[in-house]
Amino acid sequence: SCLVPVRTAMRALPAYEKVVFFAVIEHASTPPDDEARRAFTKFFEENSRRLATVIVTYRGGGFKGAATRVIVSGIMTLAPAFREMPIL
């Protein structure tokens, strides 16, 4: 999963340090399946206190791009931990 290096990097920092989550979703990427959506939601919920902000950039268009944007936006807006956090 793409979250493995993120978790590794976060463990290397002191627990009081905040981080910025920055992701680029490429045009060739496939929309995340149910398991991946659950993993991202769990990651963001577990780490919300350590995240200064979340930035997700979508590269692509058409139906796949729109579907990916809806899924990621849904994860970010429905997760209780992000209702107070600035999402760019």
Side-chain angles (χ1 to χ4, degrees):
S1 153
C2 65
L3 293 174
V4 171
V6 176
R7 284 190 179 109
T8 301
M10 289 179 74
R11 280 195 296 269
L13 294 171
Y16 60 85
E17 291 285 340
K18 292 221 176 227
V19 298
V20 172
F21 181 91
F22 180 78
V24 177
I25 300 174
E26 293 291 338
H27 176 71
S29 298
T30 57
D33 59 17
D34 286 340
E35 182 179 339
R37 287 193 296 270
R38 282 191 295 275
F40 274 103
T41 301
K42 182 179 177 185
F43 170 80
F44 290 127
E45 287 291 330
E46 290 175 348
N47 294 286
S48 63
R49 290 190 175 109
R50 296 217 38 216
L51 296 171
T53 194
V54 174
I55 302 166
V56 180
T57 300
Y58 315 98
R59 295 185 55 174
F63 179 76
K64 277 178 35 176
T68 302
R69 283 190 294 277
V70 167
I71 291 167
V72 173
S73 296
I75 290 170
M76 303 310 289
T77 57
L78 296 175
F82 291 99
R83 292 191 185 133
E84 306 279 327
M85 180 183 296
I87 299 173
L88 308 172

